[in-house]
Amino acid sequence: NAGVTQTPKFQVLKTGQSMTLQCAQDMNHEYMSWYRQDPGMGLRLIHYSVGAGITDQGEVPNGYNVSRSTTEDFPLRLLSAAPSQTSVYFCASSSVAGGLKDEQYFGPGTRLTVT
Amino acid sequence: DQQVKQNSPSLSVQEGRISILNCDYTNSMFDYFLWYKKYPAEGPTFLISISSIKDKNEDGRFTVFLNKSAKHLSLHIVPSQPGDSAVYFCAASSGTYKYIFGTGTRLKVLA
């Protein structure tokens, strides 16, 4: 099992450019989520999904889109990058069989810089 | 408005001694709490959790205590080891699919 994988590891964008951060998991987890980590702010939830075709907003969804067409993949799209989106992005997944009592498995992160 | 707070950004402890990491929350609807550990350049990894129906949960060297009336939880690591040096995040959920994380405490265990 590869667990949760994220690509790319690093990315530099210019303001206004678009890109997609990829996330995949091979554990057949229903729940997937995206967080951003900023200094002094901890981890903040951007979007999450409880299954294919189902997505919802977290704490800081503005500027980001997601879709969930398969159980395995949960891409995060930045439509028009802004310097405020410079951050480290983590994808996570978990089973929901325990009713949210299951731990989340995190990917290694994508470090994004917007200039 | 930070619903989950870790007021100590850093903590240093001697190897073999107890490490106590604290977390406070403001939302009384939170009913499930977790601790994650994070090493540099890696994603967080799950450490231990506790439901609001309990006041203590233990797993090896790690124990989490929950004081609902004070809206406070703590993570005890005994004995502390150099490999425990990392950033620790507490997180809380209110039965929805949203987890709220604290800002983290950097623990340094001195050999």
mmCIF file of all heavy atoms in Angstrom, chain B residues 33-66:
data_model
loop_
_atom_site.group_PDB
_atom_site.id
_atom_site.type_symbol
_atom_site.label_atom_id
_atom_site.label_comp_id
_atom_site.label_asym_id
_atom_site.label_seq_id
_atom_site.Cartn_x
_atom_site.Cartn_y
_atom_site.Cartn_z
ATOM 1 N N PHE B 33 -11.750 14.052 20.159
ATOM 2 C CA PHE B 33 -10.497 14.790 20.135
ATOM 3 C C PHE B 33 -9.363 13.854 19.729
ATOM 4 O O PHE B 33 -9.347 12.680 20.114
ATOM 5 C CB PHE B 33 -10.212 15.399 21.513
ATOM 6 C CG PHE B 33 -11.337 16.253 22.024
ATOM 7 C CD1 PHE B 33 -12.374 15.693 22.753
ATOM 8 C CD2 PHE B 33 -11.361 17.621 21.769
ATOM 9 C CE1 PHE B 33 -13.426 16.473 23.211
ATOM 10 C CE2 PHE B 33 -12.398 18.410 22.226
ATOM 11 C CZ PHE B 33 -13.428 17.834 22.937
ATOM 12 N N LEU B 34 -8.422 14.399 18.964
ATOM 13 C CA LEU B 34 -7.307 13.592 18.485
ATOM 14 C C LEU B 34 -6.002 14.366 18.654
ATOM 15 O O LEU B 34 -5.987 15.592 18.651
ATOM 16 C CB LEU B 34 -7.476 13.257 16.997
ATOM 17 C CG LEU B 34 -8.810 12.662 16.534
ATOM 18 C CD1 LEU B 34 -9.748 13.763 16.060
ATOM 19 C CD2 LEU B 34 -8.581 11.666 15.412
ATOM 20 N N TRP B 35 -4.920 13.621 18.758
ATOM 21 C CA TRP B 35 -3.575 14.209 18.739
ATOM 22 C C TRP B 35 -2.816 13.626 17.553
ATOM 23 O O TRP B 35 -2.863 12.412 17.305
ATOM 24 C CB TRP B 35 -2.817 13.902 20.022
ATOM 25 C CG TRP B 35 -3.247 14.725 21.187
ATOM 26 C CD1 TRP B 35 -4.179 14.395 22.134
ATOM 27 C CD2 TRP B 35 -2.758 16.012 21.557
ATOM 28 N NE1 TRP B 35 -4.299 15.397 23.060
ATOM 29 C CE2 TRP B 35 -3.439 16.409 22.733
ATOM 30 C CE3 TRP B 35 -1.808 16.888 21.030
ATOM 31 C CZ2 TRP B 35 -3.201 17.622 23.381
ATOM 32 C CZ3 TRP B 35 -1.573 18.099 21.665
ATOM 33 C CH2 TRP B 35 -2.262 18.461 22.830
ATOM 34 N N TYR B 36 -2.120 14.516 16.843
ATOM 35 C CA TYR B 36 -1.275 14.113 15.728
ATOM 36 C C TYR B 36 0.142 14.610 15.995
ATOM 37 O O TYR B 36 0.356 15.653 16.622
ATOM 38 C CB TYR B 36 -1.778 14.711 14.411
ATOM 39 C CG TYR B 36 -2.998 14.030 13.841
ATOM 40 C CD1 TYR B 36 -4.271 14.361 14.284
ATOM 41 C CD2 TYR B 36 -2.870 13.057 12.860
ATOM 42 C CE1 TYR B 36 -5.388 13.737 13.760
ATOM 43 C CE2 TYR B 36 -3.980 12.425 12.330
ATOM 44 C CZ TYR B 36 -5.235 12.774 12.785
ATOM 45 O OH TYR B 36 -6.345 12.150 12.269
ATOM 46 N N LYS B 37 1.090 13.863 15.454
ATOM 47 C CA LYS B 37 2.499 14.239 15.550
ATOM 48 C C LYS B 37 2.999 14.526 14.144
ATOM 49 O O LYS B 37 2.635 13.822 13.189
ATOM 50 C CB LYS B 37 3.289 13.076 16.176
ATOM 51 C CG LYS B 37 4.773 13.318 16.283
ATOM 52 C CD LYS B 37 5.439 12.230 17.139
ATOM 53 C CE LYS B 37 5.526 10.908 16.477
ATOM 54 N NZ LYS B 37 6.325 9.936 17.263
ATOM 55 N N LYS B 38 3.844 15.544 14.014
ATOM 56 C CA LYS B 38 4.345 15.887 12.685
ATOM 57 C C LYS B 38 5.848 16.150 12.735
ATOM 58 O O LYS B 38 6.331 17.010 13.477
ATOM 59 C CB LYS B 38 3.617 17.123 12.138
ATOM 60 C CG LYS B 38 4.015 17.455 10.712
ATOM 61 C CD LYS B 38 3.351 18.695 10.217
ATOM 62 C CE LYS B 38 3.780 18.990 8.790
ATOM 63 N NZ LYS B 38 5.234 19.113 8.631
ATOM 64 N N TYR B 39 6.563 15.388 11.889
ATOM 65 C CA TYR B 39 7.985 15.634 11.684
ATOM 66 C C TYR B 39 8.153 16.580 10.499
ATOM 67 O O TYR B 39 7.276 16.651 9.617
ATOM 68 C CB TYR B 39 8.727 14.326 11.399
ATOM 69 C CG TYR B 39 8.777 13.370 12.578
ATOM 70 C CD1 TYR B 39 8.210 12.100 12.482
ATOM 71 C CD2 TYR B 39 9.406 13.720 13.769
ATOM 72 C CE1 TYR B 39 8.274 11.214 13.547
ATOM 73 C CE2 TYR B 39 9.461 12.835 14.838
ATOM 74 C CZ TYR B 39 8.890 11.592 14.712
ATOM 75 O OH TYR B 39 8.932 10.709 15.771
ATOM 76 N N PRO B 40 9.278 17.301 10.432
ATOM 77 C CA PRO B 40 9.512 18.222 9.305
ATOM 78 C C PRO B 40 9.433 17.510 7.961
ATOM 79 O O PRO B 40 9.892 16.379 7.829
ATOM 80 C CB PRO B 40 10.936 18.740 9.574
ATOM 81 C CG PRO B 40 11.125 18.582 11.032
ATOM 82 C CD PRO B 40 10.367 17.360 11.427
ATOM 83 N N ALA B 41 8.837 18.155 6.985
ATOM 84 C CA ALA B 41 8.736 17.669 5.603
ATOM 85 C C ALA B 41 7.928 16.376 5.488
ATOM 86 O O ALA B 41 8.057 15.645 4.494
ATOM 87 C CB ALA B 41 10.113 17.484 4.978
ATOM 88 N N GLU B 42 7.121 16.077 6.503
ATOM 89 C CA GLU B 42 6.235 14.917 6.425
ATOM 90 C C GLU B 42 4.815 15.346 6.778
ATOM 91 O O GLU B 42 4.599 16.403 7.378
ATOM 92 C CB GLU B 42 6.675 13.822 7.400
ATOM 93 C CG GLU B 42 8.017 13.207 7.076
ATOM 94 C CD GLU B 42 8.361 12.076 8.045
ATOM 95 O OE1 GLU B 42 7.488 11.653 8.820
ATOM 96 O OE2 GLU B 42 9.522 11.629 8.019
ATOM 97 N N GLY B 43 3.841 14.502 6.422
ATOM 98 C CA GLY B 43 2.479 14.760 6.849
ATOM 99 C C GLY B 43 2.284 14.343 8.299
ATOM 100 O O GLY B 43 3.047 13.547 8.835
ATOM 101 N N PRO B 44 1.265 14.897 8.968
ATOM 102 C CA PRO B 44 0.971 14.487 10.344
ATOM 103 C C PRO B 44 0.616 13.001 10.415
ATOM 104 O O PRO B 44 0.072 12.432 9.464
ATOM 105 C CB PRO B 44 -0.246 15.343 10.714
ATOM 106 C CG PRO B 44 -0.217 16.490 9.759
ATOM 107 C CD PRO B 44 0.359 15.951 8.494
ATOM 108 N N THR B 45 0.941 12.389 11.545
ATOM 109 C CA THR B 45 0.541 11.006 11.786
ATOM 110 C C THR B 45 -0.262 10.934 13.074
ATOM 111 O O THR B 45 0.039 11.630 14.056
ATOM 112 C CB THR B 45 1.755 10.057 11.879
ATOM 113 O OG1 THR B 45 2.643 10.552 12.884
ATOM 114 C CG2 THR B 45 2.480 9.960 10.572
ATOM 115 N N PHE B 46 -1.267 10.099 13.071
ATOM 116 C CA PHE B 46 -2.170 9.955 14.202
ATOM 117 C C PHE B 46 -1.444 9.356 15.399
ATOM 118 O O PHE B 46 -0.622 8.447 15.280
ATOM 119 C CB PHE B 46 -3.339 9.057 13.801
ATOM 120 C CG PHE B 46 -4.230 8.669 14.935
ATOM 121 C CD1 PHE B 46 -5.140 9.572 15.443
ATOM 122 C CD2 PHE B 46 -4.166 7.406 15.484
ATOM 123 C CE1 PHE B 46 -5.974 9.222 16.490
ATOM 124 C CE2 PHE B 46 -4.995 7.040 16.535
ATOM 125 C CZ PHE B 46 -5.900 7.948 17.030
ATOM 126 N N LEU B 47 -1.783 9.900 16.581
ATOM 127 C CA LEU B 47 -1.134 9.423 17.801
ATOM 128 C C LEU B 47 -2.147 8.737 18.721
ATOM 129 O O LEU B 47 -2.028 7.571 19.058
ATOM 130 C CB LEU B 47 -0.515 10.627 18.508
ATOM 131 C CG LEU B 47 0.646 10.433 19.454
ATOM 132 C CD1 LEU B 47 1.757 9.623 18.824
ATOM 133 C CD2 LEU B 47 1.190 11.798 19.895
ATOM 134 N N ILE B 48 -3.154 9.452 19.134
ATOM 135 C CA ILE B 48 -4.101 8.943 20.107
ATOM 136 C C ILE B 48 -5.364 9.799 20.052
ATOM 137 O O ILE B 48 -5.307 10.965 19.624
ATOM 138 C CB ILE B 48 -3.494 8.948 21.522
ATOM 139 C CG1 ILE B 48 -4.339 8.150 22.516
ATOM 140 C CG2 ILE B 48 -3.253 10.380 22.008
ATOM 141 C CD1 ILE B 48 -3.628 7.892 23.859
ATOM 142 N N SER B 49 -6.497 9.223 20.460
ATOM 143 C CA SER B 49 -7.748 9.972 20.434
ATOM 144 C C SER B 49 -8.536 9.717 21.707
ATOM 145 O O SER B 49 -8.213 8.805 22.485
ATOM 146 C CB SER B 49 -8.576 9.580 19.210
ATOM 147 O OG SER B 49 -8.928 8.207 19.288
ATOM 148 N N ILE B 50 -9.576 10.530 21.915
ATOM 149 C CA ILE B 50 -10.449 10.334 23.068
ATOM 150 C C ILE B 50 -11.844 10.843 22.737
ATOM 151 O O ILE B 50 -12.000 11.896 22.095
ATOM 152 C CB ILE B 50 -9.883 11.025 24.321
ATOM 153 C CG1 ILE B 50 -10.701 10.656 25.571
ATOM 154 C CG2 ILE B 50 -9.831 12.552 24.148
ATOM 155 C CD1 ILE B 50 -10.006 11.013 26.880
ATOM 156 N N SER B 51 -12.825 10.100 23.159
ATOM 157 C CA SER B 51 -14.214 10.511 23.012
ATOM 158 C C SER B 51 -14.632 11.296 24.251
ATOM 159 O O SER B 51 -14.081 11.106 25.329
ATOM 160 C CB SER B 51 -15.095 9.269 22.857
ATOM 161 O OG SER B 51 -16.448 9.584 23.055
ATOM 162 N N SER B 52 -15.634 12.137 24.089
ATOM 163 C CA SER B 52 -16.070 12.972 25.211
ATOM 164 C C SER B 52 -16.755 12.177 26.319
ATOM 165 O O SER B 52 -16.995 12.706 27.407
ATOM 166 C CB SER B 52 -17.017 14.080 24.722
ATOM 167 O OG SER B 52 -18.157 13.517 24.130
ATOM 168 N N ILE B 53 -17.042 10.910 26.068
ATOM 169 C CA ILE B 53 -17.650 10.110 27.130
ATOM 170 C C ILE B 53 -16.587 9.558 28.086
ATOM 171 O O ILE B 53 -16.908 8.946 29.101
ATOM 172 C CB ILE B 53 -18.504 8.955 26.565
ATOM 173 C CG1 ILE B 53 -17.637 7.975 25.773
ATOM 174 C CG2 ILE B 53 -19.632 9.495 25.719
ATOM 175 C CD1 ILE B 53 -18.396 6.725 25.330
ATOM 176 N N LYS B 54 -15.325 9.762 27.729
ATOM 177 C CA LYS B 54 -14.227 9.305 28.579
ATOM 178 C C LYS B 54 -13.458 10.511 29.111
ATOM 179 O O LYS B 54 -13.553 11.618 28.569
ATOM 180 C CB LYS B 54 -13.270 8.419 27.790
ATOM 181 C CG LYS B 54 -13.863 7.121 27.311
ATOM 182 C CD LYS B 54 -12.778 6.272 26.668
ATOM 183 C CE LYS B 54 -13.314 4.891 26.331
ATOM 184 N NZ LYS B 54 -12.244 4.034 25.762
ATOM 185 N N ASP B 55 -12.679 10.290 30.161
ATOM 186 C CA ASP B 55 -11.801 11.369 30.619
ATOM 187 C C ASP B 55 -10.325 10.999 30.505
ATOM 188 O O ASP B 55 -9.450 11.821 30.791
ATOM 189 C CB ASP B 55 -12.146 11.805 32.043
ATOM 190 C CG ASP B 55 -12.158 10.648 33.017
ATOM 191 O OD1 ASP B 55 -11.568 9.596 32.699
ATOM 192 O OD2 ASP B 55 -12.770 10.786 34.098
ATOM 193 N N LYS B 56 -10.057 9.786 30.063
ATOM 194 C CA LYS B 56 -8.665 9.351 29.934
ATOM 195 C C LYS B 56 -8.586 8.238 28.898
ATOM 196 O O LYS B 56 -9.451 7.366 28.834
ATOM 197 C CB LYS B 56 -8.153 8.847 31.294
ATOM 198 C CG LYS B 56 -6.751 8.287 31.296
ATOM 199 C CD LYS B 56 -6.392 7.773 32.693
ATOM 200 C CE LYS B 56 -5.062 7.048 32.713
ATOM 201 N NZ LYS B 56 -4.749 6.517 34.060
ATOM 202 N N ASN B 57 -7.518 8.288 28.093
ATOM 203 C CA ASN B 57 -7.231 7.188 27.185
ATOM 204 C C ASN B 57 -5.722 6.996 27.120
ATOM 205 O O ASN B 57 -4.968 7.975 27.029
ATOM 206 C CB ASN B 57 -7.789 7.465 25.781
ATOM 207 C CG ASN B 57 -7.719 6.239 24.886
ATOM 208 O OD1 ASN B 57 -7.711 5.116 25.367
ATOM 209 N ND2 ASN B 57 -7.653 6.457 23.588
ATOM 210 N N GLU B 58 -5.311 5.744 27.180
ATOM 211 C CA GLU B 58 -3.883 5.447 27.303
ATOM 212 C C GLU B 58 -3.452 4.511 26.174
ATOM 213 O O GLU B 58 -4.159 3.586 25.807
ATOM 214 C CB GLU B 58 -3.663 4.752 28.650
ATOM 215 C CG GLU B 58 -2.277 4.774 29.201
ATOM 216 C CD GLU B 58 -2.250 4.313 30.650
ATOM 217 O OE1 GLU B 58 -3.328 4.156 31.256
ATOM 218 O OE2 GLU B 58 -1.145 4.110 31.171
ATOM 219 N N ASP B 59 -2.261 4.771 25.644
ATOM 220 C CA ASP B 59 -1.694 3.896 24.628
ATOM 221 C C ASP B 59 -0.179 3.908 24.782
ATOM 222 O O ASP B 59 0.501 4.812 24.288
ATOM 223 C CB ASP B 59 -2.096 4.360 23.226
ATOM 224 C CG ASP B 59 -1.612 3.412 22.138
ATOM 225 O OD1 ASP B 59 -0.989 2.376 22.453
ATOM 226 O OD2 ASP B 59 -1.842 3.716 20.942
ATOM 227 N N GLY B 60 0.328 2.916 25.489
ATOM 228 C CA GLY B 60 1.771 2.852 25.709
ATOM 229 C C GLY B 60 2.270 4.033 26.516
ATOM 230 O O GLY B 60 1.792 4.292 27.622
ATOM 231 N N ARG B 61 3.219 4.768 25.944
ATOM 232 C CA ARG B 61 3.783 5.918 26.659
ATOM 233 C C ARG B 61 2.890 7.162 26.588
ATOM 234 O O ARG B 61 3.204 8.179 27.210
ATOM 235 C CB ARG B 61 5.157 6.247 26.072
ATOM 236 C CG ARG B 61 6.206 5.164 26.253
ATOM 237 C CD ARG B 61 7.588 5.612 25.744
ATOM 238 N NE ARG B 61 7.592 5.914 24.323
ATOM 239 C CZ ARG B 61 7.793 7.127 23.827
ATOM 240 N NH1 ARG B 61 7.991 8.172 24.631
ATOM 241 N NH2 ARG B 61 7.796 7.310 22.513
ATOM 242 N N PHE B 62 1.837 7.091 25.808
ATOM 243 C CA PHE B 62 0.990 8.260 25.552
ATOM 244 C C PHE B 62 -0.348 8.141 26.276
ATOM 245 O O PHE B 62 -1.023 7.116 26.186
ATOM 246 C CB PHE B 62 0.751 8.417 24.045
ATOM 247 C CG PHE B 62 2.018 8.536 23.253
ATOM 248 C CD1 PHE B 62 2.626 7.411 22.702
ATOM 249 C CD2 PHE B 62 2.621 9.770 23.072
ATOM 250 C CE1 PHE B 62 3.808 7.533 21.980
ATOM 251 C CE2 PHE B 62 3.794 9.892 22.346
ATOM 252 C CZ PHE B 62 4.398 8.765 21.813
ATOM 253 N N THR B 63 -0.721 9.197 26.986
ATOM 254 C CA THR B 63 -2.004 9.255 27.668
ATOM 255 C C THR B 63 -2.644 10.606 27.375
ATOM 256 O O THR B 63 -1.977 11.643 27.485
ATOM 257 C CB THR B 63 -1.853 9.091 29.194
ATOM 258 O OG1 THR B 63 -1.193 7.852 29.471
ATOM 259 C CG2 THR B 63 -3.213 9.092 29.882
ATOM 260 N N VAL B 64 -3.908 10.574 27.012
ATOM 261 C CA VAL B 64 -4.644 11.822 26.807
ATOM 262 C C VAL B 64 -5.695 11.944 27.913
ATOM 263 O O VAL B 64 -6.383 10.972 28.244
ATOM 264 C CB VAL B 64 -5.271 11.905 25.397
ATOM 265 C CG1 VAL B 64 -6.183 10.738 25.112
ATOM 266 C CG2 VAL B 64 -6.008 13.220 25.218
ATOM 267 N N PHE B 65 -5.762 13.135 28.495
ATOM 268 C CA PHE B 65 -6.736 13.445 29.533
ATOM 269 C C PHE B 65 -7.696 14.509 29.014
ATOM 270 O O PHE B 65 -7.273 15.472 28.373
ATOM 271 C CB PHE B 65 -6.029 13.978 30.789
ATOM 272 C CG PHE B 65 -5.143 12.986 31.466
ATOM 273 C CD1 PHE B 65 -3.788 12.911 31.145
ATOM 274 C CD2 PHE B 65 -5.637 12.120 32.435
ATOM 275 C CE1 PHE B 65 -2.956 11.996 31.760
ATOM 276 C CE2 PHE B 65 -4.810 11.198 33.065
ATOM 277 C CZ PHE B 65 -3.470 11.135 32.722
ATOM 278 N N LEU B 66 -8.979 14.323 29.316
ATOM 279 C CA LEU B 66 -9.982 15.284 28.886
ATOM 280 C C LEU B 66 -10.746 15.816 30.102
ATOM 281 O O LEU B 66 -11.294 15.039 30.886
ATOM 282 C CB LEU B 66 -10.959 14.632 27.902
ATOM 283 C CG LEU B 66 -12.145 15.488 27.441
ATOM 284 C CD1 LEU B 66 -11.664 16.719 26.690
ATOM 285 C CD2 LEU B 66 -13.087 14.658 26.570
#
